[in-house]
Amino acid sequence: MELPIKVQGVIYAEENKKRNYLIIKRCENDGGFWQGITGTVEEGELLEDCLTREIKEELGIEKEDIAKISQILQTIQWRKQNGFVITEYVYAVKIDRGQEILLSDEHVEYKWCDFDEAYDTLGKENNKNTLKFVNINVKLRK
């Protein structure tokens, strides 16, 4: 049975005092919407281990190639259609913009965007809210 615990990673890069966000598009048969990194925690798995596993699975990026992972920035809860309550833990994840991206079969496209474009492109309200929260609360490196 799938655990009701998920992680979400808001992936970003900083260059020339500007931040860009990496968003990925799900396959059409799985909704066809744009999102950040998400995944379900497996039994016995730590939250951050789930996050780095999902980053590797969805983007092809190894843990040692991640520049920075924040502490848990936000905890959100939402109800699935079947009534189960899901708890999702949100992290900000910094990578190098030049990092090679190798998408999984779950996704068909990725793109780097400034905040406004990423916000307008994301398909789900909770992803938009999370992006906004991270954008406000993760300070740009000077």
Side-chain angles (χ1 to χ4, degrees), residues 6 24-40 42 53-59 102-110:
K6 294 189 176 285
I24 53 180
K25 185 176 183 183
R26 294 193 73 82
C27 296
E28 290 301 322
N29 63 355
D30 202 13
F33 58 90
W34 289 88
Q35 65 178 154
I37 298 298
T38 60
T40 301
E42 295 176 353
R53 175 179 52 78
E54 290 293 338
I55 290 169
K56 177 165 176 38
E57 289 175 6
E58 296 185 5
L59 299 178
L102 301 170
L103 292 176
S104 70
D105 293 340
E106 297 174 27
H107 301 92
V108 293
E109 190 177 345
Y110 75 90

Side-chain angles (χ1 to χ4, degrees), residues 58-112:
E58 296 185 5
L59 299 178
I61 297 174
E62 300 286 345
K63 182 177 182 176
E64 57 270 12
D65 293 324
I66 296 170
K68 181 178 180 182
I69 298 176
S70 71
Q71 298 294 323
I72 296 169
L73 296 177
Q74 189 178 35
T75 303
I76 54 178
Q77 290 189 315
W78 48 276
R79 189 173 304 277
K80 290 180 82 168
Q81 290 178 342
N82 62 11
F84 286 118
V85 175
I86 303 296
T87 301
E88 191 164 22
Y89 297 91
V90 177
Y91 295 84
V93 180
K94 183 179 180 181
I95 66 171
D96 183 322
R97 173 106 186 228
Q99 181 74 44
E100 182 180 14
I101 306 297
L102 301 170
L103 292 176
S104 70
D105 293 340
E106 297 174 27
H107 301 92
V108 293
E109 190 177 345
Y110 75 90
K111 64 180 171 175
W112 286 99

